[in-house]
């Protein structure tokens, strides 16, 4: 009698990118997404979309984001829970900018437990405060596809034209001002930096130096991401 074939379901990997504003979370998340077919979930992007659409959550988040503070846990957790319900997250996710507080980290543990998933790696991108200001002040993004650029470190091949989609509408973020950056940095040190210990206690933390060229940082992340995929 033929044996029934069984397929072992491999749980989709869940990665967290921790790091201060401008550390390169979005840049690296997009590269991992492209290379490994996982999905980038950026709470910053989800909140900016909510602000643009004028949803209730977006209207409540707008002033806080412009001041460089953290949006309330309830709003961000609800936005993330909704996004995690989308089918594409079954390919594995890279969380970019979430969690940012201990309460968010605990909520994430519960959300993943409901899906019989766990965090495979929490990667902390480590950069100097001075470098962050340089990175943020030169940043711009393609409005069409969201590809990120930098005046000095990652300029489009042809000035003003997006390498990815050919779009010509480039935007700079409203919260990328000198004053807001220092508030964002303060919020990071007070509320988000302690999460490194939260994940170290669970054996999931990887500290990765994020100074140096974008490609060099990507290479450092490759081995960690590959290991999570079995
Ligand atoms: P969010 O959008 O998450 O912003 P952030 O954390 O401040 O991070 P950034 O997007 O500024 O930086 P990044 O690390 O992604 O760097 P990037 O790759 O772009 O959040 C915005 C706001 O939303 C928050 O302030 C808060 O109000 C709210 N919010 C979001 N999530 C929340 C949450 N969970 N809870 C509460 N509130 C929340 O790189 C920066 C630049 O540097 C780019 O130009 C890039 O090309 C360049 N670059 C990248 N890597 C390198 C490198 N190695 N060398 C040289 N240049 C580089």
């Amino acid at each position: 009698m033929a044996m029934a074939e069984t397929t072992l379901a491999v749980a989709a990997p869940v990665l967290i990118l921790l790091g201060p504003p401008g550390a390169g979370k979005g840049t690296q998340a997009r590269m991992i997404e492209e290379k490994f077919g996982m999905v980038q979930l950026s709470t910053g992007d989800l909140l900016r979309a909510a602000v643009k659409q004028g949803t209730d959550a977006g209207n409540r988040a707008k002033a806080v984001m412009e001041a460089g503070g953290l949006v309330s846990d309830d709003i961000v957790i609800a936005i993330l829970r909704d996004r995690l319900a989308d089918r594409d997250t079954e390919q594995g996710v890279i969380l970019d900018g979430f969690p940012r507080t201990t309460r968010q980290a605990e909520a994430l543990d519960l959300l993943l437990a409901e899906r019989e998933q766990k965090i495979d790696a929490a990667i902390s991108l480590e950069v100097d405060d001075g470098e962050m200001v340089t990175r943020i002040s030169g940043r711009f993004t393609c409005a069409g596809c969201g590809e990120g650029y930098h005046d000095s470190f990652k300029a489009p091949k042809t000035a003003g034209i997006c390498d990815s989609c050919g779009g010509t509408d480039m935007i700079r973020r409203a919260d990328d001002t000198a004053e807001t950056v220092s508030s964002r940095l303060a919020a990071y040190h007070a509320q988000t930096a302690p999460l490194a210990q939260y994940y170290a206690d669970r054996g999931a933390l990887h500290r990765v130096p994020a100074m140096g060229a974008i490609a060099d940082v990507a290479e450092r992340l490759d081995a960690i991401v590959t290991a999570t995929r079995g």
Side-chain angles (χ1 to χ4, degrees), residues 146-174:
E147 184 65 36
Y149 293 99
H150 191 280
D151 291 325
S152 316
F153 306 129
K154 191 188 166 196
K157 290 188 184 90
T158 307
I161 300 178
C162 177
D163 297 345
S164 293
C165 74
T168 53
D169 187 10
M170 300 290 181
I171 48 172
R172 293 191 190 252
R173 271 168 48 178

Side-chain angles (χ1 to χ4, degrees), residues 19-28 42-45 47-48 61 64-66 68-73 76 96-101 104 125 131 134-136 138-140 148-151 153-154 173 175-176 184 210-215 217:
K25 301 182 295 294
T27 303
Q28 296 298 333
S42 155
T43 41
D45 287 348
L47 286 166
R48 279 184 287 279
V64 181
M65 292 173 77
E66 282 173 358
L70 290 188
V71 175
S72 85
D73 288 335
V76 183
D96 157 11
F98 186 96
R100 265 175 151 99
T101 64
Q104 291 179 21
L125 297 178
E131 172 77 4
T134 311
R135 288 187 188 180
I136 285 177
R139 168 170 53 192
F140 59 98
Y149 293 99
H150 191 280
D151 291 325
F153 306 129
K154 191 188 166 196
R173 271 168 48 178
D175 61 346
D176 279 353
R184 284 159 61 195
M211 300 294 285
I214 293 171
V217 178

